[in-house]
Amino acid sequence: MAQYSIDSILAHAIVIIPAFNEEKSIGRIVACLRENFPGLDVLVVNDGSTDQTAEVAASAGAKVLSLVNNMGYGIALQTGYKYAFARDKYRFCVQMDGDGQHNPADIPKLLAPLADDRADLVIGSRFVSGKNGYTIPFARRVGIFFFRTLVQLFTHNKIKDITSGLQAYNRKVLARYTSDEMPYYYPDADVLIVLIKGGIRVAEVSSPMNGNIHGKSMHNGVWPQVYYVTTMVLSIIVILLRGMGKKNAR
Amino acid sequence: MPDKLIVVLGIFFIISFVFVLRMIVKHQLREVYAVAWVFVTLSIPATIVLFPLFSKVSAYLGISSPFNLAVFVGFVISFGLLLHFSALNSGMQRNLKNCIQKIAVLEAEIRELSAKQSKNDP
């Protein structure tokens, strides 16, 4: 694979931001991205928001895809992947959350290993430097530890932050993400297992997260957390039974 | 099987069978889903006819009453129905997802083309 400079990589990259009712934060994030990286395209996937998310994002300078219904985080993300994959211009993708927790200034740091062809997928990790702008709740830390152990067990890969929503990747990964075979519920540990088993090289760079400015997470509450853990474990079992990583590697 | 129960089951079968057929004719139930319900309604007369066999099977399995065996068979059928409709639902959800994604991408493409066209227009 050819090697790229950061400037050239920014001109061939797109930032995908799935957003559901994020009118309060999305404008600031898009404006910040457009101001700091004028050559970088920003795509907001409006996941059936009932507020002004789409309008705010578009007026801040983002391309907007609007889903007619609220389909969930994973499906919104995959829509963005499909849009980017259909356009040869985009050799690299960055995904980040629309709640303002990720720092746009870290984008070049994420893209650097892709530019040097040292990795296919780069994760912005909260745990590489150990510094964070907010405290991760205990239950979530236990969950992250559990799934990190599973990923390590099945891939022999020591990834510290397997649930980070800040990631960058090349078209090789994008092709896998757009496949209907890929788990799309919450693309976390299950997807990482498929990718690593399929020969995708994963790297981590430090990217401390800010607190959510609205204090709301999609995993808030006992039931969503139990549902998430159950679904993720089931998804991992199904992946292992299907031998999906090996199949994708072919 | 007691005669009264046969009459009640017979009436229930006729009503449910007619109801299912009526829904198919009125396009309220597609044939692909109706097959399972036709099967369920037909299982009622099958139970009446095969009840002596139920007695033998329940005695063989050590179930005290053939009615208990009928409840167990009902559970198995319900399980099959739930699985059948969950599988159909999963397929439909995948189609719906792809459809909604396609609409979103096409909508964006139309906007981009319109913007390009209005730039080119004198």
Side-chain angles (χ1 to χ4, degrees):
Chain A
M1 191 186 183
Q3 299 206 341
Y4 301 89
S5 69
I6 279 295
D7 283 341
S8 133
I9 211 173
L10 284 173
H12 291 96
I14 184 167
V15 178
I16 299 172
I17 308 173
F20 174 64
N21 290 346
E22 302 281 9
E23 64 177 6
K24 286 177 186 161
S25 56
I26 199 73
R28 189 174 51 81
I29 297 165
V30 174
C32 177
L33 284 164
R34 302 289 298 157
E35 196 183 311
N36 289 303
F37 312 108
L40 186 67
D41 283 345
V42 181
L43 176 71
V44 171
V45 186
N46 169 35
D47 187 13
S49 298
T50 51
D51 64 3
Q52 299 295 306
T53 298
E55 290 80 0
V56 172
S59 62
K63 294 169 187 288
V64 178
L65 296 182
S66 282
L67 302 182
V68 289
N69 296 106
N70 178 235
M71 299 296 288
Y73 177 79
I75 293 177
L77 254 183
Q78 200 192 43
T79 310
Y81 301 151
K82 286 183 175 178
Y83 177 89
F85 190 63
R87 285 152 183 80
D88 292 337
K89 175 189 172 188
Y90 301 122
R91 297 176 190 278
F92 307 101
C93 259
V94 178
Q95 70 173 59
M96 60 191 294
D97 292 346
D99 55 10
Q101 287 194 291
H102 298 135
N103 187 359
D106 287 336
I107 288 177
K109 208 160 61 174
L110 265 95
L111 291 172
L114 300 176
D116 299 341
D117 197 26
R118 281 183 280 125
D120 300 308
L121 168 67
V122 183
I123 298 171
S125 173
R126 291 164 285 184
F127 308 123
V128 169
S129 72
K131 289 176 198 165
N132 258 320
Y134 84 114
T135 311
I136 300 167
F138 177 72
R140 196 162 303 166
R141 268 184 289 157
V142 172
I144 290 170
F145 174 78
F146 173 67
F147 286 115
R148 181 199 296 171
T149 310
L150 284 185
V151 171
Q152 196 175 331
L153 184 73
F154 296 121
T155 65
H156 309 293
N157 206 311
K158 288 183 183 175
I159 297 168
K160 290 188 173 173
D161 196 351
I162 45 103
T163 59
S164 173
L166 181 63
Q167 297 181 6
Y169 32 82
N170 57 24
R171 284 186 75 83
K172 201 166 145 188
V173 177
L174 205 53
R176 309 274 172 93
Y177 275 158
T178 51
S179 157
D180 267 344
E181 295 294 308
M182 208 67 162
Y184 54 77
Y185 168 61
Y186 283 124
D188 282 335
D190 49 356
V191 166
L192 279 175
I193 291 173
V194 175
L195 292 176
I196 296 168
K197 279 174 111 45
I200 294 297
R201 299 163 300 161
V202 180
E204 275 185 293
V205 296
S206 169
S207 178
M209 254 169 76
N210 307 312
N212 185 331
I213 53 175
H214 308 305
K216 267 187 167 181
S217 159
M218 59 184 167
H219 297 311
N220 266 357
V222 175
W223 173 241
Q225 287 185 11
V226 170
Y227 190 64
Y228 171 82
V229 171
T230 314
T231 312
M232 190 55 66
V233 169
L234 184 66
S235 180
I236 291 171
I237 293 169
V238 168
I239 282 165
L240 295 170
L241 289 173
R242 284 179 182 161
M244 266 186 75
K246 286 173 192 165
K247 194 168 88 179
N248 281 334
R250 284 201 292 266
Chain B
M1 188 181 279
D3 291 346
K4 281 180 189 169
L5 186 58
I6 293 174
V7 171
V8 169
L9 283 176
I11 292 169
F12 180 69
F13 162 67
I14 292 164
I15 291 172
S16 55
F17 194 72
V18 168
F19 193 68
V20 168
L21 279 182
R22 199 165 155 260
M23 285 184 82
I24 299 169
V25 171
K26 285 190 157 188
H27 302 285
Q28 289 169 333
L29 191 61
R30 279 193 55 203
E31 288 81 345
V32 64
Y33 309 113
V35 170
W37 290 115
V38 168
F39 172 74
V40 169
T41 51
L42 287 176
S43 70
I44 299 169
T47 307
I48 297 170
V49 173
L50 296 174
F51 198 73
L53 190 69
F54 264 60
S55 304
K56 282 180 187 166
V57 174
S58 56
Y60 176 74
L61 294 174
I63 298 170
S64 58
S65 158
F67 291 103
N68 291 348
L69 180 64
V71 169
F72 175 70
V73 170
F75 170 78
V76 172
I77 291 173
S78 306
F79 181 84
L81 279 176
L82 278 173
L83 206 61
H84 171 71
F85 288 117
S86 298
L88 284 174
N89 195 28
S90 299
M92 283 198 294
Q93 202 211 16
R94 193 178 53 238
N95 293 342
L96 181 70
K97 171 188 81 89
N98 288 338
C99 212
I100 285 176
Q101 288 179 326
K102 197 93 185 168
I103 291 170
V105 171
L106 285 174
E107 223 174 41
E109 280 173 358
I110 290 168
R111 268 203 310 271
E112 282 170 15
L113 284 172
S114 303
K116 258 186 201 169
Q117 204 176 15
S118 55
K119 260 185 197 172
N120 291 338
D121 283 347

